[in-house]
Amino acid sequence: MRAVLTSVTALAVLCTLPVFGPLVSGEGWWVSSAVAVLAVALTGAAYRTAHLTLALLPLLQAGVVACTLTAIFTPGDALLGFVPTPQSIDTLLALIDEGRARIEHDPPPLTTHAALSLIIAIGFSLLAIVADFFAVTARAPALVALPLVTPLLVPLAVQEQGIGVPAFALAATGYLVLLAIDGWERAAGWGGRPQPDDSATPVLGAVRHVSTGAGVAVAAIVLALLLPLGVPGLANTAVYDLAGGVRLGSETVTTTHPMVSLRRDLASPTDRDVLEYRTPQASPEYLRMYVLDVFDGENWTMSPLSASSDSRIEDDSRLPAPPGRADDSAEQVSTEITLADGGRAMDFLPAPYPPREIDVGGEWFADPESLMIFTTNGPASGMSYEVTSSRLDLGPRELAESTPGPQNVEEHLLDVPGSTDPQVAELTRSITEDAESPHERAVALQNWFTSGNRFEYSLQPPAIPAGADPLTHFLFDSRVGYCEQFAAAMTLMARQAGIPARVAVGYTAGERVSGDEWVVTESDAHAWPELYFKGHGWLRFEPTPSSSDGQGSATVPSYATPSPEDSSRGGSDDAAPSPGENDEPSSSEEEADQEEDTPESPADSDPDTDGVAGGTADEGNSWLPALGTLVAAALLFAAPALARLAVRRFRFATAATSTGTVEARAAWRELRDDLLDLGLSSDPAESPRAIAQRLAAEHNLSESTRESLWRIAMAEESARYAPEPDGLPGALSADLRAVRAGLAASFPRTRRVRALLAPRSLLRLPRSAVRRRAKTSAA
Amino acid sequence: MSLGTRYNGQGGASPEDTGAVIAVAERVGRAIETVIEGKPDVVRIALTVLIAEGHLLIEDIPGVGKTMLAKALGRSVDCSVQRVQFTPDLLPSDITGVSVYHQERNEFEFNPGPVFANIVLGDEINRASPKTQSALLECMEELQVSVDGATRPLERPFMVVATQNPADMEGTYPLPEAQRDRFMARVSVGYPTPQAELDMIDTHSSRSPLDDLAPVAEAADVRAMVEHVRGIHVAPGIRRYVVDLVTATRTSSALRFGASPRATLHMVRAARAYAALEGRRYVVPDDVQALAVPVLAHRLLPTPEARVERRTPEDVVSDIVARLPIPGPQ
């Protein structure tokens, strides 16, 4: 019996292997994985027949996997061809390193290689061991979903198309078969299929069972989808965000993570054309595709996009006005863009910022905040469209003169996660110390990256040591990276300096081929920060080194070009803290200092204090939300008791102010609810007098309590069945109190507390439902 | 029952009436219990059937006091009692009576049979031929006798108490279901408790307690009780409950045949009588629950599967009663 479950578990794991198909090109990469998984299953089956302690089984399986993989990959170095030796382990470790390097540097699909097979085989053996433990040892096969989902996540993260339908269906089938076999075995353990109620015909019973199951499943799915939307904390999690999903009422927009596409483009060995365009401008703007405005401490992601009718681009091709731009008189420039045939398919259109109109076929949407142009109909390639954008001729001087204008950016564009290394805030402060306006601060930040601070541009940055914060590592240790690191770091630091900022991803202007024609290739993929200035809206900055040592086609915008004075200041910035010096000022007194003299708290950047002070400011008044949470929790805790109390009050009031039927009804219901609260089962076939007799017999009630109980029951009985109810003594509320006290006294304290705090009567079904159910079961 | 059932039903339409009924019923009940010891439930059902104008079938193995119960019932009420010992050679006319030619007056004269009495004891009814059985059953249903074209009404109250022996099957004609349906209730006396049996040795060994039994009520008292029973209120919820109960026997998969509509009527009448015996002027679900097995079980036929599982109709009815929700407030 166990052997069946073991083999089905192994089968379920093997069924997830094909999802790696699109990631690896070539044959035979899966053989070693399959062998390792089978080895795990065989070990499990054999070990279980020996009836030894099951705690050691995973260790034994891991050992068998090690031998198997040694035998496959380095039989020459091993003892007897399969026993691992230090030598063979070194070989395997070297192979793993090589595989890691390949995975990091090559874009998928990777070509088959022993190193790759080894890594996949190790992964799947671990999954098989965990799955075997869950399904057979712990006998909780539903948990096998956890190990089975892991391989599915890999293609989801790196593959534009995600998982193919057949591969997913196969994986899901494997899991379902496992569940089915387990259910079947459990049922068999009870000696045959459970029969439906003797009253119902078998067919009806089966239909009822199936419909009950289906109902539960549907309810579960609906709840799983809807509940996170109702819970604010959950709705903002990465599950919904990464996909840029749109929820409740409009379509879902999903796309590959922009940073993944960026990396793939930059790493592409072929450097294919992405698009070409015609523009009258001599130095065209960057072509922007994505805006990432949410930083979770590790990754930049998009806010959810809404593909609703409001954001659809209508026939007049007008786009929403660019946020924050005061004067609209800027020169309009038209750009004709043609996406390369056979190039990358786009579901977000590259366009110069800020686009004002777009002439494009098909259904496209524009996000009013970010002016991203996107579709939900699947990516397009080979198409042409024309974008009209505002040309912004800003010099450093114009930008420096603060223009009055709306400051209506959303608060989250200044958010800095509390987990950010305080060193970064200190660094930002030291860089922007001398700058007076937001503009100067922005330029100072940009220049700090580009001018001689030992930053080095490389598409293959060194690996980040395990546990290190990537941002801290980039800023203080390695200082090697490409546009992604530069853009992300400057965006975050700009936020710390009180300037709303976000990361834009797209392409640089590319290369002029002739006259007004330009070509953009994959190596022009780029990421850069966009900063918000009052009256000017969102402006791009360029912290990434350009020219041959950096991103070849990157340009620094005119307004961010250092003026003579600025460059002298930039020079002084050269003396900005080097990594070595930087470790020292992060002591606590320094931080306290920083809080006190915050030099940059000018009136024009009011919402920035949050960003600069980071987590420390939060701790100051954190007792208020804590108190609120405590009160809310207490209220929540007491809510059932309060609700029950309200019901009781109402009934007592009813019983005290009325006589006859109404009083009897109120008293009886209250009694029934009290019984339910105390956990006494209620039988719909029991009459009031039967209940009273049973309670009196079972709970050893005193004589007066019995009489009170009997009066309540008789009043109810008479109210229900007598031709005209007796005008019984109207003291039922007193009787009720006596019975309550008498009953409670015969129960232990824990039961009484539970009755008080978690009154079950609140969950009682309406009487009609109980009757219906009981009647069908009695029939 | 320790919780004074006496409390209920006060302030009814005719409390004196109620009190009188209870008094009479209690007297009769006590009288019977001097003979049949330790079986108050059986006695109560018998009384219920008496004042509900029904007929009682006592089915049990020999020697547990079937006939004793029937006799005690007949004797405690001062009314005409006839006893018929059913044998295979008994003829219908032995029950209904026969017209004989009166030579002096030169005409036929009707000699009334034992059925012309208030209480008729049909002992071992299953020993007679079906023809004779049906003669009695016709009287039970129609409360009249038709002999030679003349229809003669029977006395009121009229009650047939028939006993039947299920164990002894040799040469018997067990009552068919259709006939059993005419009895309002069936009871089994059952073995006495050890204590009751001990007492029995003391009291019965010397002389029969039946000899000491004097009538404690008159036929007129019984008629008054019957009249009173008719006025007992049955709430709409209770009527629905009875119908639900009967319907449940018809839909149960353990039963080949459910109870008939006659069973419904019998049940309501019996419940009224039961409530009256409790001194109540309205029926409560407990009355119906207490009567469900005696009133319904003997009319039901189990399926072969239920027979194999040894599920008797009594079990099925008890199950249904235990699960059927009682009527709530209207």
Side-chain angles (χ1 to χ4, degrees):
Chain A
M1 186 184 108
R2 290 274 150 131
V4 175
L5 211 54
T6 310
S7 48
V8 175
T9 310
L11 193 72
V13 174
L14 288 180
C15 281
T16 58
L17 256 180
V19 301
F20 275 58
L23 301 182
V24 187
S25 67
E27 306 278 313
W29 55 270
W30 50 271
V31 175
S32 48
S33 304
V35 170
V37 171
L38 288 180
V40 170
L42 284 178
T43 313
Y47 187 84
R48 286 195 179 91
T49 54
H51 296 290
L52 299 171
T53 170
L54 287 171
L56 295 177
L57 179 56
L59 290 179
L60 182 69
Q61 283 170 326
V64 170
V65 165
C67 293
T68 312
L69 295 182
T70 307
I72 295 174
F73 290 97
T74 67
D77 296 334
L79 199 66
L80 300 173
F82 70 91
V83 179
T85 58
Q87 225 175 336
S88 76
I89 291 173
D90 282 345
T91 318
L92 287 183
L93 287 179
L95 259 182
I96 292 174
D97 278 342
E98 192 189 338
R100 276 184 55 181
R102 278 168 177 267
I103 291 169
E104 270 172 26
H105 295 143
D106 297 350
L110 303 161
T111 40
T112 317
H113 186 267
L116 219 54
S117 307
L118 174 63
I119 289 180
I120 298 178
I122 292 175
F124 273 93
S125 334
L126 290 179
L127 297 184
I129 294 173
V130 175
D132 188 68
F133 177 79
F134 281 152
V136 194
T137 306
R139 206 68 205 275
L143 285 181
V144 173
L146 295 175
L148 289 192
V149 152
T150 322
L152 266 59
L153 293 178
V154 178
L156 272 184
V158 299
Q159 201 57 8
E160 214 166 326
Q161 310 84 345
I163 309 169
V165 173
F168 179 79
L170 186 65
T173 311
Y175 178 57
L176 291 180
V177 167
L178 172 62
L179 288 187
I181 295 280
D182 175 69
W184 174 72
E185 286 203 342
R186 270 171 206 273
W190 289 96
R193 220 180 120 270
Q195 291 296 317
D197 257 15
D198 66 342
S199 53
T201 64
V203 175
L204 257 184
V207 167
R208 204 161 60 201
H209 282 211
V210 168
S211 59
T212 309
V216 169
V218 168
I221 291 171
V222 169
L223 275 182
L225 287 176
L226 291 185
L227 263 187
L229 297 182
V231 181
L234 279 179
N236 291 336
T237 53
V239 180
Y240 285 88
D241 275 354
L242 179 62
V246 195
R247 311 188 295 274
L248 282 187
S250 37
E251 284 181 83
T252 305
V253 186
T254 54
T255 183
T256 323
H257 195 290
M259 287 302 185
V260 175
S261 346
L262 173 73
R263 263 168 251 157
R264 189 171 38 217
D265 274 357
L266 288 175
S268 165
T270 52
D271 196 16
R272 287 173 298 181
D273 287 356
V274 176
L275 57 86
E276 49 194 56
Y277 65 94
R278 300 160 73 91
T279 176
Q281 281 179 285
S283 57
E285 267 297 307
Y286 285 3
L287 300 168
R288 202 194 62 172
M289 294 171 74
Y290 308 102
V291 171
L292 311 178
D293 52 359
V294 180
F295 185 54
D296 62 5
E298 203 160 324
N299 292 305
W300 286 88
T301 51
M302 252 183 243
S303 295
L305 292 177
S306 168
S308 61
S309 55
D310 292 343
S311 55
R312 182 179 295 124
I313 301 173
E314 305 292 344
D315 291 341
D316 63 2
S317 3
R318 298 287 304 171
L319 296 173
R325 198 154 284 208
D327 79 297
D328 208 18
S329 57
E331 184 196 345
Q332 308 276 307
V333 187
S334 153
T335 312
E336 288 171 45
I337 302 175
T338 307
L339 301 181
D341 243 344
R344 206 183 123 205
M346 311 258 188
D347 46 8
F348 282 66
L349 287 184
Y353 187 83
R356 306 308 313 274
E357 288 176 29
I358 181 164
D359 186 6
V360 62
E363 188 183 45
W364 293 82
F365 301 89
D367 180 53
E369 272 304 311
S370 62
L371 295 182
M372 279 189 272
I373 300 156
F374 60 96
T375 184
T376 56
N377 295 339
S381 61
M383 59 179 290
S384 299
Y385 56 97
E386 187 177 344
V387 182
T388 308
S389 57
S390 297
R391 163 124 186 117
L392 196 63
D393 258 327
L394 271 182
R397 211 166 296 275
E398 284 104 318
L399 187 56
E401 289 162 11
S402 184
T403 325
Q407 172 88 19
N408 55 348
V409 293
E410 292 174 27
E411 290 241 338
H412 78 265
L413 292 161
L414 277 164
D415 281 352
V416 178
S419 62
T420 310
D421 193 331
Q423 286 186 64
V424 181
E426 172 62 21
L427 177 63
T428 307
R429 199 182 63 83
S430 71
I431 295 170
T432 57
E433 212 164 23
D434 300 330
E436 280 150 22
S437 66
H439 168 242
E440 283 178 28
R441 268 180 269 154
V443 173
L445 279 173
Q446 173 190 287
N447 291 348
W448 183 77
F449 282 101
T450 47
S451 50
N453 275 313
R454 291 197 291 104
F455 276 99
E456 193 185 308
Y457 182 88
S458 165
L459 280 175
Q460 268 133 36
I464 299 155
D469 177 30
L471 179 69
T472 317
H473 185 255
F474 170 69
L475 283 177
F476 300 112
D477 299 336
S478 74
R479 297 209 168 177
V480 176
Y482 55 99
C483 51
E484 180 187 339
Q485 283 80 29
F486 284 98
M490 177 163 168
T491 307
L492 187 76
M493 290 164 82
R495 284 188 179 185
Q496 286 178 325
I499 310 168
R502 62 197 191 187
V503 176
V505 180
Y507 294 94
T508 61
E511 200 180 335
R512 190 203 292 254
V513 280
S514 68
D516 56 356
E517 284 185 22
W518 295 68
V519 168
V520 173
T521 63
E522 285 176 327
S523 62
D524 291 322
H526 193 39
W528 61 92
E530 280 188 338
L531 274 58
Y532 183 89
F533 292 94
K534 266 167 76 170
H536 300 292
W538 290 98
L539 299 176
R540 85 170 166 87
F541 280 76
E542 187 52 271
T544 311
S546 51
S547 81
S548 56
D549 295 339
Q551 168 72 2
S553 47
T555 52
V556 178
S558 56
Y559 49 79
T561 319
S563 54
E565 315 96 89
D566 285 338
S567 63
S568 73
R569 181 172 298 161
S572 75
D573 276 344
D574 282 349
S578 74
E581 291 164 318
N582 229 329
D583 293 336
E584 160 215 14
S586 68
S587 63
S588 52
E589 309 108 85
E590 283 287 328
E591 269 179 54
D593 254 349
Q594 175 198 356
E595 255 183 47
E596 272 163 44
D597 63 11
T598 17
E600 63 276 52
S601 50
D604 62 344
S605 55
D606 34 295
D608 65 349
T609 37
D610 233 341
V612 177
T616 38
D618 277 349
E619 278 162 37
N621 53 3
S622 59
W623 59 271
L624 238 174
L627 190 73
T629 316
L630 211 67
V631 171
L635 273 178
L636 205 65
F637 190 62
L642 292 176
R644 180 74 184 86
L645 190 68
V647 171
R648 179 173 301 141
R649 275 284 152 81
F650 173 74
R651 292 209 183 116
F652 268 107
T654 314
T657 54
S658 54
T659 51
T661 316
V662 181
E663 182 194 19
R665 298 275 335 119
W668 181 250
R669 283 180 185 209
E670 182 56 27
L671 178 68
R672 291 296 297 264
D673 280 1
D674 277 340
L675 296 181
L676 205 58
D677 289 348
L678 284 168
L680 297 177
S681 62
S682 75
D683 183 352
E686 229 175 359
S687 66
R689 70 168 58 210
I691 291 174
Q693 281 164 357
R694 181 168 60 82
L695 286 180
E698 283 177 2
H699 294 287
N700 203 9
L701 301 177
S702 71
E703 194 56 40
S704 65
T705 313
R706 283 173 189 230
E707 276 167 20
S708 296
L709 180 61
W710 190 248
R711 270 197 293 276
I712 296 173
M714 282 304 106
E716 167 71 4
E717 185 183 274
S718 147
R720 281 191 196 180
Y721 309 122
E724 68 274 356
D726 321 285
L728 276 161
L732 287 186
S733 16
D735 286 335
L736 208 47
R737 283 199 184 85
V739 174
R740 247 172 76 75
L743 271 178
S746 71
F747 280 96
R749 185 185 298 274
T750 50
R751 226 24 204 284
R752 296 207 300 266
V753 169
R754 200 168 54 187
L756 177 74
L757 292 180
R760 298 183 200 185
S761 58
L762 292 179
L763 298 175
R764 197 174 44 152
L765 288 169
R767 204 184 153 80
S768 55
V770 175
R771 268 184 72 84
R772 227 179 2 256
R773 205 178 52 187
K775 203 183 275 181
T776 45
S777 75
Chain B
M1 290 292 165
S2 66
L3 275 170
T5 48
R6 295 289 77 82
Y7 174 82
N8 11 309
Q10 285 165 0
S14 52
E16 309 79 26
D17 215 21
T18 313
V21 166
I22 296 171
V24 173
E26 278 192 344
R27 280 206 305 276
V28 177
R30 265 200 304 276
I32 300 176
E33 277 174 45
T34 60
V35 181
I36 307 290
E37 276 159 27
K39 297 282 174 194
D41 295 347
V42 175
V43 173
R44 186 167 282 260
I45 300 285
L47 277 177
T48 304
V49 173
L50 172 69
I51 63 172
E53 296 182 282
H55 307 290
L56 182 67
L57 180 63
I58 307 176
E59 190 175 85
D60 219 326
I61 51 169
V64 289
K66 295 190 294 287
T67 313
M68 192 81 102
L69 172 64
K71 278 185 179 167
L73 184 64
R75 230 179 251 180
S76 52
V77 180
D78 186 19
C79 55
S80 56
V81 179
Q82 290 282 358
R83 180 167 185 273
V84 189
Q85 183 68 44
F86 280 62
T87 53
D89 56 354
L90 198 72
L91 295 174
S93 56
D94 294 336
I95 294 187
T96 54
V98 67
S99 298
V100 287
Y101 184 67
H102 203 287
Q103 274 188 322
E104 284 170 23
R105 275 181 276 166
N106 200 15
E107 60 180 15
F108 281 94
E109 189 177 85
F110 181 67
N111 266 4
V115 81
F116 287 87
N118 291 117
I119 293 177
V120 179
L121 305 182
D123 229 356
E124 308 217 40
I125 190 171
N126 53 338
R127 290 204 173 275
S129 65
K131 194 177 172 187
T132 314
Q133 287 175 356
S134 52
L136 176 67
L137 295 165
E138 187 206 332
C139 308
M140 285 165 57
E141 184 67 13
E142 292 160 18
L143 298 176
Q144 59 187 21
V145 174
S146 305
V147 177
D148 300 338
T151 300
R152 294 174 175 82
L154 296 175
E155 291 178 50
R156 296 297 189 81
F158 176 66
M159 180 187 187
V160 173
V161 181
T163 69
Q164 182 170 251
N165 182 352
D168 185 14
M169 288 305 179
E170 190 86 357
T172 60
Y173 307 90
L175 284 180
E177 292 76 37
Q179 312 284 44
R180 291 209 297 258
D181 197 24
R182 309 207 172 171
F183 288 95
M184 180 177 272
R186 179 190 60 180
V187 291
S188 298
V189 180
Y191 293 115
T193 58
Q195 186 55 49
E197 209 158 358
L198 268 177
D199 295 346
M200 196 182 75
I201 296 172
D202 295 340
T203 54
H204 294 207
S205 51
S206 49
R207 53 179 302 181
S208 167
L210 269 179
D211 301 342
D212 295 338
L213 196 60
V216 290
E218 292 172 13
D221 290 336
V222 176
R223 276 197 290 276
M225 287 202 288
V226 166
E227 204 51 45
H228 174 75
V229 164
R230 290 199 178 124
I232 298 292
H233 176 74
V234 183
I238 300 284
R239 298 170 199 207
R240 225 174 19 247
Y241 181 59
V242 172
V243 172
D244 285 348
L245 184 59
V246 171
T247 311
T249 67
R250 294 173 192 160
T251 53
S252 168
S253 60
L255 298 175
R256 255 167 75 199
F257 294 118
S260 60
R262 179 170 23 217
T264 312
L265 296 177
H266 278 177
M267 175 57 101
V268 172
R269 260 158 60 194
R272 278 191 165 121
Y274 200 85
L277 286 181
E278 298 255 322
R280 227 180 308 106
R281 58 198 167 77
Y282 53 83
V283 176
V284 296
D286 308 73
D287 302 333
V288 179
Q289 290 176 350
L291 290 167
V293 169
V295 172
L296 295 181
H298 65 285
R299 307 164 200 257
L300 308 175
L301 253 189
T303 55
E305 292 84 0
R307 246 189 255 272
V308 170
E309 290 171 18
R310 295 178 187 267
R311 280 190 81 192
T312 61
E314 284 86 345
D315 298 336
V316 177
V317 173
S318 301
D319 274 4
I320 292 172
V321 166
R323 283 193 284 177
L324 192 67
I326 57 151
Q330 292 128 41

